[in-house]
C-alpha cells in the first residue's frame, strides 16, 4: 500500500509518502510547499492543488490522507486550513484516489503511543518507524508522514472507511 499523507495549510503544506509491504514501512518522499502571505489566495491554493496532483501522478498512491482540522481560537487560521484541505481533496478526487482523515490525537497515538505527543516526539518516532537517518524536517513534513503511517498501520476495514 502506498499512502500520501498531507499536513494541510496555505502558508506551509507538508507532504509525506509511505509504502507499506509485508509489515514494513518505508518513506518514499517528504517535503513541503510554502506560499507567501502576500500572494493571492487562489494562487496559493493552486500551488497546493498542483503539488498534490503531481505527487499523485508520479507515485500513484492507494490513498491520500489528511489530519482532521483542529479549530483553535483563530477562525482565520481554521478557514485557511479548510481551504488548503479542499484543494487537496479535489486533487485526489480528480485522480480517483481514496481519501481518509484522522484526528490529530489518533495520529499521535498511532505513531507515538500517546495522543498528546509534541512535535519533537512525532518527528523522533517517524524517524524511528521509517528508519530515516534524521528526523524529517520541517515539522509539516513529519506530520504528513505521521498521518500516512497512521493510515498504513490501520486495520484494513478502517482504511476503507476512513
Amino acid at each position: 500500500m502506498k499512502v500520501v499523507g498531507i499536513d494541510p495549510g496555505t502558508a506551509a503544506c507538508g507532504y509525506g509518502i509511505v509504502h507499506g509491504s509485508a509489515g514494513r514501512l518505508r518513506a518514499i518522499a517528504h517535503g513541503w510547499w510554502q506560499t507567501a502571505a502576500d500572494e493571492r489566495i487562489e494562487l496559493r491554493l493552486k500551488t497546493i492543488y498542483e503539488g498534490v496532483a503531481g505527487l499523485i501522478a508520479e507515485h500513484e498512491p492507494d490513498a491520500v490522507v489528511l489530519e482532521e482540522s483542529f479549530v483553535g481560537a483563530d477562525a482565520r487560521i481554521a478557514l485557511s486550513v479548510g481551504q488548503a484541505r479542499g484543494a487537496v481533496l479535489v486533487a485526489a478526487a480528480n485522480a480517483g484516489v481514496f481519501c481518509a482523515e484522522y484526528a490529530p490525537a489518533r495520529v499521535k497515538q498511532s505513531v507515538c503511543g500517546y495522543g498528546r505527543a509534541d512535535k519533537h516526539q512525532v518527528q523522533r518516532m517517524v524517524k524511528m518507524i521509517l528508519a530515516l537517518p534524521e528526523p524529517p524536517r520541517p515539522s509539516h513534513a513529519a506530520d504528513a508522514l505521521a498521518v500516512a503511517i497512521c493510515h498504513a498501520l490501520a486495520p484494513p476495514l478502517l482504511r476503507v472507511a476512513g
Side-chain angles (χ1 to χ4, degrees), residues 9 13 25 36-37 57 80 85 126 135 153:
C13 184
L25 295 177
S80 174
R85 290 167 40 80
V126 166
L153 295 176

Side-chain angles (χ1 to χ4, degrees), residues 87-102:
V88 171
L89 293 170
V90 170
N94 279 344
V97 177
F98 172 80
C99 290
E101 300 176 82
Y102 295 92

Side-chain angles (χ1 to χ4, degrees), residues 27 30 126-136 145:
H30 63 277
V126 166
K127 173 190 179 284
M128 289 177 54
I129 291 168
L130 298 175
L132 297 172
E134 59 187 49
L145 284 167

Side-chain angles (χ1 to χ4, degrees), residues 7 14-16 30-32 126 136-146:
D7 179 33
Y15 67 86
H30 63 277
W32 64 312
V126 166
R137 289 188 176 74
S139 63
H140 303 292
D143 290 347
L145 284 167

